[in-house]
Amino acid sequence: GQKSIDLLFIDHLKELYVPDFQRLREAGLLAKGSTVVADNLLFPGAPDFIALMEASPEDYDWMPHPTKLEYALSDRDDLVGVAVMKT
């Protein structure tokens, strides 16, 4: 049978987070129990991904984790999000 992804870490072009996530989901590669970790949600930012997760509590257990931007010379706030697929 078809396998699914257990853990997906996304940290690429932020405007592609949602379309790439949706492609994987539609292909059946993200299944119940799959964990998705999304980095740099505040900077440079992926507000569409945050909105998708927050709008779909029946589909995802969503936990945002405040953090600091890596490699920065300042204390710039950032966010890492963890979603576990419910369906």
Side-chain angles (χ1 to χ4, degrees):
Q2 184 174 345
K3 302 272 183 174
S4 62
I5 296 170
D6 292 326
L7 175 65
L8 175 66
F9 181 75
I10 53 176
D11 186 22
H12 60 303
L13 293 172
K14 307 317 173 209
E15 62 271 14
L16 295 179
Y17 278 24
V18 169
D20 288 350
F21 172 83
Q22 289 174 330
R23 281 186 199 101
L24 291 170
R25 182 120 198 238
E26 290 166 5
L29 295 172
L30 295 174
K32 185 175 182 177
S34 293
T35 300
V36 178
V37 179
D39 198 15
N40 303 119
L41 293 174
L42 294 183
F43 187 84
D48 292 345
F49 188 81
I50 295 170
L52 175 65
M53 294 296 112
E54 291 178 348
S56 306
E58 66 282 355
D59 294 328
Y60 319 108
D61 280 326
W62 169 246
M63 291 194 58
H65 298 274
T67 187
K68 297 292 181 186
L69 182 64
E70 71 270 19
Y71 312 117
L73 299 176
S74 68
D75 283 335
R76 175 168 262 187
D77 291 332
D78 202 1
L79 193 68
V80 173
V82 178
V84 178
M85 309 297 291
K86 290 182 175 180
T87 59

